[in-house]
Amino acid sequence: MLSFGIVDDDAVSRLMLHKIIEKGGLGEVVGTAGSGSEGERVLLETTPDVVVIDLLMPDQDGIETIIRLKEQGFQGKYVMISQIENKEMIGKAYQAGVEYYIQKPINKIEVEAVLSKVNEQWKISRSLKEIQDSLTKLSLMNVASDSIRKKRSVREILQPILMDMGIVGESGSRDVTDIIEHLTKHHRGEGIPPLKDLYETAARCHKLTEADVEKEGKAVEQRIRRAVMAALTHMASIGLTDYSNPKFEHYAPLYFEFQDVRLKMKEIDENLKSEKSKINIKKFLQVLYLEVTDKMRSEH
């Protein structure tokens, strides 16, 4: 069962939320607070799975409280509640890590619908973790048979990942493959080198003279940018059609920033120009490198 924390300077709102959560069987409320600073202390002590937090509070607003909690390592999910309809403020809330937004005055049906979605996502995540743990145990039990099996190459591991993300035919995907191959052979550690170095690494795969490497590196950057943007668009399209699609649930939060996925989904849904779309290429390459190396270790 999910545990909840409630932070709201309005005692009536806190009581209503408390009743909706526990009487609706959505979870257990383990901590409540009437201000942002008090909420910060209570949430760090009780560590709930989900925090329902008011946007505007007199001493420390919801966004500031979330930022301070994240800085201290708090891992819970956030649901924002507020009377504010200002899109810029709501956007800042999503950037801070809020996953859902509930409009005040509190409506029992809306609260139950939103928190049921949070509950469902949590169950899916837990099921996936249990499956992953079971597969890990199974893998350890079959070490002998695994050693006989032929190890896949980096390209063979990458192919289905790029296919799932809808970019296997993009020219930038070939550059991405060259970069990941290089990293798996020559790089050690959690982080990855600066992007400029990686672009020039991919450029050298074309047997260029050193004088042409910088120019080709810029071309590599553009190709990879287009490929990653195409992957984001593909994931957002899947999410709009089916939010619980396994590919969307795996790749969207892992490879992209939450607010970038939401913005792209909004652009597609409302047929807007994609001028505001952003992507974090370094995160994309780092996650891809880690996923490939993890699969290589599991097949060793």
Side-chain angles (χ1 to χ4, degrees), residues 40-261:
E40 186 182 332
R41 178 182 58 77
V42 169
L43 294 171
L44 289 171
E45 287 175 0
T46 56
T47 61
D49 299 310
V50 182
V51 176
V52 184
I53 185 166
D54 191 16
L55 176 56
L56 295 182
M57 290 181 285
D59 67 326
Q60 182 174 291
D61 68 32
I63 294 173
E64 186 184 350
T65 303
I66 290 171
I67 292 169
R68 288 174 63 86
L69 284 165
K70 284 191 164 187
E71 286 172 351
Q72 295 173 82
F74 182 74
Q75 299 289 320
K77 294 181 179 295
Y78 300 95
V79 177
M80 186 70 79
I81 51 172
S82 179
Q83 291 176 324
I84 295 291
E85 293 186 21
N86 184 299
K87 289 184 179 178
E88 187 178 343
M89 284 292 286
I90 295 171
K92 285 181 180 178
Y94 281 126
Q95 287 174 3
V98 170
E99 297 196 27
Y100 290 97
Y101 183 84
I102 295 173
Q103 185 76 39
K104 280 188 174 181
I106 291 170
N107 177 296
K108 180 175 180 286
I109 294 172
E110 183 186 4
V111 172
E112 286 182 338
V114 170
L115 297 188
S116 291
K117 284 183 184 177
V118 174
N119 208 326
E120 195 60 37
Q121 281 191 347
W122 178 75
K123 286 178 183 175
I124 291 168
S125 299
R126 188 178 64 174
S127 297
L128 288 172
K129 187 178 184 307
E130 287 173 356
I131 291 168
Q132 188 176 25
D133 290 345
S134 298
L135 289 172
T136 302
K137 288 177 184 175
L138 189 62
S139 177
L140 291 171
M141 289 169 64
N142 291 284
V143 170
S145 60
D146 285 347
S147 63
I148 299 168
R149 189 179 59 197
K150 182 181 178 292
K151 243 177 105 176
R152 289 187 298 167
S153 68
V154 170
R155 288 176 185 268
E156 287 169 335
I157 292 171
L158 272 172
Q159 194 79 358
I161 297 174
L162 299 176
M163 196 174 293
D164 282 348
M165 286 197 276
I167 57 170
V168 76
E170 292 281 334
S171 57
S173 292
R174 290 191 288 275
D175 298 309
V176 168
T177 302
D178 291 336
I179 288 171
I180 301 301
E181 276 193 324
H182 173 82
L183 289 172
T184 55
K185 288 177 184 175
H186 306 289
H187 182 69
R188 295 292 177 270
E190 291 185 5
I192 59 173
L195 287 176
K196 185 174 183 292
D197 294 351
L198 294 177
Y199 298 148
E200 292 183 356
T201 293
R204 289 189 181 94
C205 294
H206 299 289
K207 312 291 186 201
L208 298 170
T209 62
E210 204 57 32
D212 292 328
V213 163
E214 187 175 352
K215 181 181 177 183
E216 178 61 19
K218 290 177 181 176
V220 168
E221 178 182 5
Q222 292 307 312
R223 290 197 295 267
I224 289 178
R225 182 172 293 280
R226 284 194 295 271
V228 176
M229 184 59 77
L232 174 62
T233 303
H234 184 67
M235 285 300 114
S237 299
I238 291 174
L240 276 174
T241 307
D242 179 8
Y243 202 75
S244 62
N245 184 291
K247 289 180 185 178
F248 178 80
E249 288 186 336
H250 174 72
Y251 294 107
L254 197 60
Y255 282 82
F256 303 101
E257 303 293 348
F258 179 78
Q259 59 268 27
D260 296 342
V261 178

